[in-house]
């Protein structure tokens, strides 16, 4: 009887040796009934887990509904205490102000586009709209426009063609824009690099008119028409050729020399030296040299002319000759744009622009210092105290300031219709500076800041009247205020081994330059305070800076 029982305990097949076979004596649970309605998600609550709500006095989950919450009377979550302000975009406001207002508010609070400039019924072609936007932004940034105004123009173009959820981004050399159709769609991003910058305010004004027509509700501008006009703008030649620009450079240097006390001989000497410097700069540019060396070469003839007149015992003020030659080289346009970007919160672009200004200024310093050093070694008696012998000639100085602004406008390739206005603006700026500094005895930095503020105020008002950029009305008008004499006397002191005095004079020149840039920007902001600016229903205006430094 024992032998059969032993045979029954032997495994009958290979399955009995598997590790997954139910052990003897273990009761298996009944199999679950599977049907099509059974839940198999991994988010299913496991068996045996108690999901009953905890008592009121216990500690609940972070995701549980608060005891004081009522679904019927729910609080307005994620809403400011005073509610969301109503955005009223007035039609009579310039597009610059309307687009700047929307750029300074969160995306969720921006109003949807009211009209769409398009010719197709199925909607705008997103890649083509983004490409057109980047091309327009490239021309504006290459022309010297501020980063905030470039973003406003790009946003205006996209919004006019129905792309409301777009975010433009502008740096010194890179333009990018991102458009997201909805929260569930993939965003479309495009970028463009600005590799070459030039000065042509006529082209800049034409681009502003194009953006104004695109953003106008009463003007129908299709994508094809916008591309055609943009191509015409790029193909148009400069209004003044190279020799006219060279002559304007000479007249600018001569006017600047008269502005600091020179006579007719000084006027001619400064003009000739500036023309030689300009031709040398054109020759260097044709050979492919960087702008740093172009500024270095262009600064040498003016300094050489002053040293040569001193060595020849000609009874002229060599300081006025050298100062006049430096006026044509000082990068006032880039300085104003860099400070404006910094004041409006675009610190990366501002740092890049100011770094460019520093390189240009160092190039001028190197060119002048080399000539002055050899001039001092040859025995040229250059007197730094000549600045104290400045003669006040109001009529001549006002006329020279207006001529300087006129020639500066020609160098900036401005439209002929704006030259007269910017000439008058430059004369007003020097009149205010002279009345405050020479007649009133106020410090030159404060006088320069007030005069530059008036330039920015008048320029902004004129740009709003003509719906154009403010640069053609402000950049040339600040020419008479540039610190040419302080720069020269600082360099001369360094060449004569008076480093401390030279650094003091160069610091004064830097302070004057910053006063010009800040004054122009402050004048523009003051003009906006008295204009009808779109914003909230209470008339509040959003700050240019996105944060408060926290």
């Amino acid at each position: 009887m024992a032998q059969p029982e032993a045979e029954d305990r032997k495994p009958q097949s290979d399955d009995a040796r598997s590790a997954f076979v139910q052990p003897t004596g273990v009761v298996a649970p009944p199999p679950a009934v599977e049907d099509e309605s059974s839940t198999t998600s991994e988010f299913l609550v496991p068996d045996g887990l108690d999901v009953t709500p905890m008592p009121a006095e216990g500690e609940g989950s972070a995701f549980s509904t608060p005891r004081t919450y009522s679904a019927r009377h729910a609080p307005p979550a994620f809403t400011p205490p005073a509610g969301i302000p109503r955005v009223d975009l007035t039609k009579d406001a310039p597009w610059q102000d309307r687009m700047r207002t929307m750029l300074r508010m969160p995306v969720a609070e921006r109003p949807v586009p009211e009209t769409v400039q398009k010719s197709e019924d199925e909607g705008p072609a997103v890649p083509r709209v983004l490409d057109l936007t980047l091309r327009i932004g490239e021309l504006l940034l290459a022309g010297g426009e501020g980063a905030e105004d470039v973003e406003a123009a790009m946003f205006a173009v996209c919004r006019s063609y129905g792309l409301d959820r777009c975010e433009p981004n502008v740096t010194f050399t890179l333009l990018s824009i991102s458009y997201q159709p909805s929260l569930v769609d993939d965003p479309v991003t495009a970028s463009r690099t600005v590799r070459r910058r030039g000065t042509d305010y006529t082209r800049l004004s034409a681009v502003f008119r194009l953006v104004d027509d695109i953003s106008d509700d009463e003007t129908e501008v299709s994508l094809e028409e916008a591309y055609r006009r943009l191509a015409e703008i790029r193909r148009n030649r400069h209004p003044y050729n190279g020799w006219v620009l060279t002559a304007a450079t000479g007249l600018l240097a001569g006017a600047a020399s008269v502005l600091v006390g020179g006579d007719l001989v000084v006027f001619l000497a400064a003009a000739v030296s500036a023309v030689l410097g300009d031709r040398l700069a054109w020759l260097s540019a044709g050979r492919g040299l960087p702008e740093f060396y172009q500024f270095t070469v262009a600064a040498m003839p003016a300094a050489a002319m002053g040293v040569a007149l001193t060595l020849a015992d000609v009874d002229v003020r060599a300081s006025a000759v050298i100062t006049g030659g430096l006026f044509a080289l000082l990068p006032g346009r880039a300085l104003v744009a860099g400070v404006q970007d910094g004041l409006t919160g675009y610190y990366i672009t501002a740092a890049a622009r100011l770094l460019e200004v520093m390189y240009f200024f160092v190039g001028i310093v190197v060119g002048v210092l080399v000539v002055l050093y050899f001039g001092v070694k040859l025995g040229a008696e250059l007197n730094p105290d000549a600045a104290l012998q400045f003669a006040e000639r109001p009529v001549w100085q006002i006329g020279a300031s207006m001529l300087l602004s006129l020639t500066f406008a020609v160098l900036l390739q401005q439209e002929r219709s704006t030259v007269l206005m910017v000439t008058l603006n430059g004369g007003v700026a020097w009149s205010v500076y002279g009345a405050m500094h020479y007649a009133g005895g106020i410090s030159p930095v404060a006088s320069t800041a007030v005069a530059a503020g008036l330039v920015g105020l008048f320029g902004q008002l004129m740009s709003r009247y003509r719906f154009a950029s403010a640069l053609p009305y402000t950049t040339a008008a600040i020419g008479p205020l540039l610190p040419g004499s302080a720069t020269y006397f600082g360099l001369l002191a360094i060449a004569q081994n008076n480093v401390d005095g030279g650094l003091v004079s160069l610091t004064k020149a830097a302070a004057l330059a910053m006063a010009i840039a800040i004054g122009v920007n402050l004048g523009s902001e003051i003009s906006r305070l008295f204009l009808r600016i779109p914003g909230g229903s209470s008339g509040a205006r959003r700050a240019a800076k996105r944060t408060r430094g926290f």
Side-chain angles (χ1 to χ4, degrees), residues 18 59 94 157 194 200 375 405 501:
S18 175
E59 182 179 0
V157 174
V194 179
D200 190 346
S405 300

Side-chain angles (χ1 to χ4, degrees), residues 218-529:
E218 299 179 356
T219 305
E220 180 70 22
V221 181
S222 62
L223 281 174
E224 290 74 13
E225 178 67 16
Y227 268 108
R228 185 190 63 80
R229 292 180 56 178
L230 188 63
E232 291 180 354
I233 293 173
R234 298 180 68 94
R235 286 197 303 264
N236 284 345
R237 293 188 176 184
H238 301 302
Y240 312 103
N241 56 31
W243 285 105
V244 174
L245 298 181
T246 301
T249 302
L251 292 177
L252 188 151
S257 65
V258 174
L259 200 63
V260 295
D263 52 10
L264 180 60
V265 178
V266 172
F267 178 91
L268 295 176
V272 172
S273 62
V275 169
L276 292 177
D278 182 76
R279 287 290 95 188
L280 288 176
W282 278 91
L283 180 61
S284 302
R287 297 296 180 179
L289 291 179
E291 286 185 303
F292 176 85
Y293 301 105
Q294 297 177 27
F295 274 80
T296 302
V297 172
M300 288 183 175
M305 181 68 72
V307 171
L309 292 176
T310 303
L311 293 175
D313 292 332
V314 181
D315 189 15
V316 296
R317 296 185 58 184
S319 61
V321 176
I322 301 176
T323 301
L326 294 181
F327 261 85
L329 300 176
L330 294 178
R333 174 181 58 89
L335 176 66
V336 172
V339 175
Q340 180 181 358
D341 289 340
L343 295 176
T344 52
Y346 295 84
Y347 299 116
I348 297 178
T349 307
R353 289 185 189 272
L354 293 179
L355 184 62
E356 182 187 39
V357 171
M358 186 192 71
Y359 272 104
F360 292 163
F361 191 78
V362 170
I364 297 173
V365 168
V366 171
V368 175
L369 273 181
V370 170
V371 177
L372 291 181
Y373 177 78
F374 286 104
V376 172
K377 292 296 183 181
L378 292 176
E381 297 180 358
L382 300 173
N383 185 14
D385 297 332
L388 302 177
Q389 305 173 2
F390 185 76
E392 298 182 16
R393 300 175 297 174
V395 177
W396 284 95
Q397 289 169 347
I398 293 177
S401 64
M402 296 178 67
L403 178 60
L404 194 152
S405 300
L406 173 64
T407 53
F408 203 174
V410 173
L411 289 176
L412 294 175
Q413 301 282 1
Q414 292 190 196
E415 292 179 311
R416 293 178 175 85
S417 59
T418 64
V419 171
L420 177 60
M421 187 58 62
V422 75
T423 301
L424 297 177
N425 201 4
V428 171
W430 180 259
S431 300
V432 172
Y433 172 80
M436 295 183 62
H437 179 53
Y438 299 115
I442 303 176
S443 66
V445 177
S447 303
T448 301
V450 174
L454 289 178
V455 169
L457 176 62
F458 294 155
Q460 194 66 232
L461 293 177
M462 287 302 301
S463 67
R464 299 308 171 88
Y465 174 73
R466 298 195 176 188
F467 292 90
S469 173
L471 290 181
Y473 301 98
T474 58
T475 305
I478 64 173
L481 304 176
L482 294 176
S485 58
T487 303
Y488 161 68
F489 288 111
L491 299 179
L492 178 59
I494 294 176
Q496 294 177 342
N497 293 326
N498 185 9
V499 180
D500 294 338
L503 292 179
V504 170
S505 185
L506 291 179
T507 303
K508 178 183 176 181
L512 292 174
M514 293 297 295
I516 292 173
I518 295 176
V520 170
N521 181 264
L522 182 60
S524 302
E525 294 297 328
I526 290 176
S527 67
R528 295 192 182 104
L529 293 178

Side-chain angles (χ1 to χ4, degrees), residues 169-244:
N169 188 19
V170 176
T171 58
F172 185 56
T173 57
L174 181 64
L175 297 168
S176 63
I177 187 168
S178 178
Y179 169 67
Q180 188 172 12
S182 65
L183 295 177
V184 297
D185 293 332
D186 296 332
V188 181
T189 303
S191 62
R192 196 174 184 88
T193 302
V194 179
R195 304 188 182 276
R196 185 183 181 125
R197 291 181 298 274
T199 303
D200 190 346
Y201 282 0
T202 300
R203 179 179 296 176
L204 190 68
S205 301
V207 175
F208 260 78
R209 284 193 294 268
L210 174 59
V211 178
D212 182 51
D213 292 339
I214 292 176
S215 59
D216 189 7
D217 299 338
E218 299 179 356
T219 305
E220 180 70 22
V221 181
S222 62
L223 281 174
E224 290 74 13
E225 178 67 16
Y227 268 108
R228 185 190 63 80
R229 292 180 56 178
L230 188 63
E232 291 180 354
I233 293 173
R234 298 180 68 94
R235 286 197 303 264
N236 284 345
R237 293 188 176 184
H238 301 302
Y240 312 103
N241 56 31
W243 285 105
V244 174

Side-chain angles (χ1 to χ4, degrees), residues 22-41:
Q22 187 72 29
T24 306
V26 177
V27 179
V33 180
E34 297 183 358
D35 56 1
E36 296 181 355
S37 60
S38 61
T39 305
T40 60
S41 173

